[in-house]
Each structure stands twice: as C-alpha cells, then as structure tokens.
C-alpha cells in the first residue's frame, strides 16, 4: 500500500503553542479521496486511510531535519514524493528566504519528486482581506507576486499550466471564477 504523510509545520518563529496549524505535506502514492481528521491520534501518530497511512508532524517549517526525519517514518524518502506548500510561505517575510526554504527541501528529495505551491497574490481584494487578518492579531501574511512564486521553483521544471491562478490548474468550466491564489506544480529533474 502506498504511504501518505502530511507534516503540519509552523512558519519559522511563529505560532508557537498555537492550535492553528499551517500545513505543508510530503506525500507518496495516490492522493487520498478524502481528508480524515487526526485530532484523536496526536502528533507523530499515524492513521490508516484507504490508500495507506497519514501521519501528523508538528515542527517548525525551517527545521528540515525534524520534518523530513519524522516524514521518513512513514515515507520512503529514497523514492519520489510530493512536497506541498499551500498557503504557508506567505508567513516568511522575505520572498528570497521563502524560495531558499523550498530549494533546501527539494535538494533533499530525490529526482522525480514534485513541488506544489500556492500563495495569496497581491490584488486589491486580497490586500484588504490580509489587512483585516493582521488587525485580528494574527501573524502578518505577505502576499506574493507571480515572479516570487516562480522563483520558488528554481532548478525545477514547471509543469502546465505554469505559474497561474490555481483555479486554472484543472478547471471544470471554460472560464472559472478568478481566485486570489497563484501557484505552480513542478518536478525535480
């Protein structure tokens, strides 16, 4: 059975002790058809799913040794995996540092591994939403430009449809409603 792990990681230096987790994941095998809550399993515990196992890892995003070490308890990291960083890198203030974090993770994963990433983009609606989010006392979230998101895939091959709004990845209708999330899917050669 293929294995699947979802390490939940905190952005560096933020959200310590918070019950709100920002998620990144490493997965292997077929994607699960559903998400199963793991609240009853606790950190570091695995749960069975129809396709394999899901593990919860609590660690700082920048602590790659901890994240990948714990992921290796569920995944075979000698085989290609998917690293998904969805809506998490905006917690890193410097876009160059965010791209470096991605580069360091991908350097430790084998050829054939995939990167899936997306973040909020700089649009009037999203800027207003982020201002309200920051006013609530939450950690600042930094919107990304398409160029900053593309820089996260340095040394990788970006797959179609390229750097684009996530609603265009696999649209169900010819002109889906626009979203304020831009991302990419890339593969490590």
């Amino acid at each position: 059975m293929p294995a699947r792990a979802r390490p939940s990681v905190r952005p560096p230096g933020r959200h310590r002790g918070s019950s709100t987790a920002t998620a990144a994941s490493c997965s292997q095998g077929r994607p699960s058809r559903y998400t199963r809550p793991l609240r009853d399993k606790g950190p570091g515990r695995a749960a069975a799913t129809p396709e394999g196992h899901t593990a919860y890892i609590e660690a700082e995003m920048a602590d790659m040794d901890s994240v990948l070490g714990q992921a290796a308890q569920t995944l075979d990291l000698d085989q290609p995996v998917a690293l998904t960083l969805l809506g998490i890198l905006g917690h890193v203030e410097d876009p160059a540092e965010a791209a470096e974090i991605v580069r360091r993770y991908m350097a430790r994963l084998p050829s054939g591994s995939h990167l899936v990433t997306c973040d909020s983009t700089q649009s009037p609606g999203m800027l207003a939403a982020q201002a309200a989010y920051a006013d609530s006392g939450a950690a600042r979230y930094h919107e990304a430009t398409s160029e900053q998101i593309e820089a996260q895939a340095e040394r990788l091959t970006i797959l179609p449809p390229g750097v684009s709004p996530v609603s265009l990845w696999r649209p169900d209708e010819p002109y889906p409603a626009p979203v304020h999330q831009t991302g990419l899917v890339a593969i490590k050669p």
Side-chain angles (χ1 to χ4, degrees), residues 82-87 89 98-99 102-103 106 113-121 144-170 179 181-188:
L83 174 67
T84 60
L85 299 167
L86 305 173
L89 292 169
V102 174
R103 189 197 63 73
M106 292 305 294
S113 291
H114 284 71
L115 167 68
V116 181
T117 186
C118 73
D119 273 296
S120 299
T121 52
T145 65
S146 294
E147 293 79 15
Q148 291 165 340
I149 292 171
E150 183 174 11
Q152 295 168 7
E154 182 181 334
R155 302 181 197 156
L156 304 176
T157 302
I158 298 174
L159 303 175
V163 180
S164 64
V166 297
S167 58
L168 299 179
W169 284 0
R170 301 291 180 259
V179 296
Q181 291 275 315
T182 294
L184 61 84
V185 177
I187 189 168
K188 182 176 180 178

Side-chain angles (χ1 to χ4, degrees), residues 3 5 44-46 53 55 57 66-77:
R45 296 284 197 60
H53 290 84
I57 297 169
S66 178
V67 171
L68 294 177
Q70 292 181 62
Q73 294 175 18
T74 303
L75 301 174
D76 178 359
L77 295 180

